[in-house]
Amino acid sequence: MGLALTFNQQIKVFTINLLSQNQYSSAQKLTRTDIKRNQRHRASYNFKQVNALGLSTVTKAATDRNLHPIGLLSIPSVKIDLPIMAGLSNENLAVGAATMKAKQHMGKGNYALAGHHMVNKHILFSPLTNIKLGERIYITDKKHVYTYKVTLSKTVYKMQVQYIDNVKGKKLITLVTCASSLVGEEDRHIVQGQLLQKQVATKARLAVFKK
């Protein structure tokens, strides 16, 4: 039984890593028109339907043809490169960073993204706990590149959801993940950044999203 569980865990981690890399590569090739089309797909924001990543969810994500990236996320300092997916479906969370609120826009309000914390500390949002203040977070919708400076990195109780709320007069990004990979983890690690600049997405500026 122990060997089977270990083997299944290894398969799951390998598949998640492969899926996120493939989706990121696909998102790199998207045009602005592709992204605008993807943004029109209906998205779910039901937090209660978010589950821990089981092998069945990962398998479903691997065969899902309805995954529609709407952008790219890159944090070079902790080697995070992920597609941004619209909505909190379990399939989205199996491959990348998922938007947490409907009708949020890059560079406006508080752009909130969720991601899983895995046993493998190098995939999905697992590296977030290593981020340092002052480091840069980059996102793009292929029209613009948005650069944020990390101003907050802390662990909070899961019910402290105020961190994803808009803050008057501020343009923020908030990244949320579990504080550990333990099933039932009740704490969340929050990373927040303030917008430094919004620039037209030229080839040179998109280079930060090249792996």
Side-chain angles (χ1 to χ4, degrees):
M1 179 67 74
L3 286 173
L5 290 174
T6 299
F7 189 60
N8 282 344
Q9 178 69 20
Q10 290 174 342
I11 292 174
K12 182 177 73 174
V13 169
F14 173 82
T15 305
I16 291 170
N17 190 35
L18 184 62
L19 285 175
S20 64
Q21 289 187 31
N22 287 344
Q23 283 295 321
Y24 188 79
S25 296
S26 296
Q28 285 178 315
K29 300 171 185 175
L30 293 177
T31 66
R32 175 58 185 158
T33 300
D34 294 329
I35 287 177
K36 288 180 71 174
R37 182 175 61 249
N38 286 349
Q39 289 171 335
R40 291 195 289 267
H41 287 274
R42 182 177 297 179
S44 169
Y45 293 93
N46 188 341
F47 287 80
K48 294 181 180 179
Q49 291 183 353
V50 175
N51 299 317
L53 276 183
L55 190 56
S56 60
T57 300
V58 175
T59 301
K60 185 178 179 182
T63 57
D64 195 334
R65 296 294 180 266
N66 294 311
L67 296 176
H68 304 288
I70 59 167
L72 295 165
L73 164 71
S74 181
I75 312 177
S77 61
V78 290
K79 298 181 179 178
I80 288 179
D81 294 289
L82 293 170
I84 296 174
M85 317 297 290
L88 290 168
S89 73
N90 287 300
E91 291 73 33
N92 281 350
L93 286 162
V95 302
T99 58
M100 299 182 71
K101 301 180 292 182
K103 298 180 181 179
Q104 62 180 27
H105 301 282
M106 295 182 182
K108 296 181 180 180
N110 187 354
Y111 195 76
L113 298 172
H116 278 300
H117 190 133
M118 306 298 296
V119 173
N120 183 318
K121 301 303 181 182
H122 303 290
I123 60 177
L124 298 180
F125 267 14
S126 306
L128 272 187
T129 53
N130 298 320
I131 206 165
K132 294 180 173 56
L133 300 185
E135 293 179 342
R136 300 297 190 260
I137 299 169
Y138 302 92
I139 57 175
T140 186
D141 54 9
K142 289 298 185 75
K143 184 177 182 180
H144 294 97
V145 173
Y146 304 84
T147 305
Y148 295 83
K149 177 182 178 181
V150 176
T151 55
L152 175 74
S153 180
K154 66 183 297 186
T155 299
V156 303
Y157 183 58
K158 66 180 181 180
M159 300 305 292
Q160 293 179 262
V161 297
Q162 69 271 20
Y163 289 96
I164 70 170
D165 293 341
N166 289 343
V167 179
K168 187 176 181 179
K170 291 188 177 182
K171 298 176 181 179
L172 306 171
I173 190 168
T174 300
L175 310 178
V176 181
T177 191
C178 288
S180 76
S181 60
L182 297 175
V183 176
E185 172 64 71
E186 294 197 332
D187 289 336
R188 302 291 180 263
H189 194 79
I190 306 291
V191 171
Q192 201 165 72
Q194 293 192 17
L195 184 68
L196 289 180
Q197 56 186 353
K198 169 185 173 181
Q199 298 173 296
V200 173
T202 62
K203 184 176 181 180
R205 289 168 183 155
L206 288 170
V208 72
F209 300 98
K210 300 292 185 182
K211 294 184 68 172

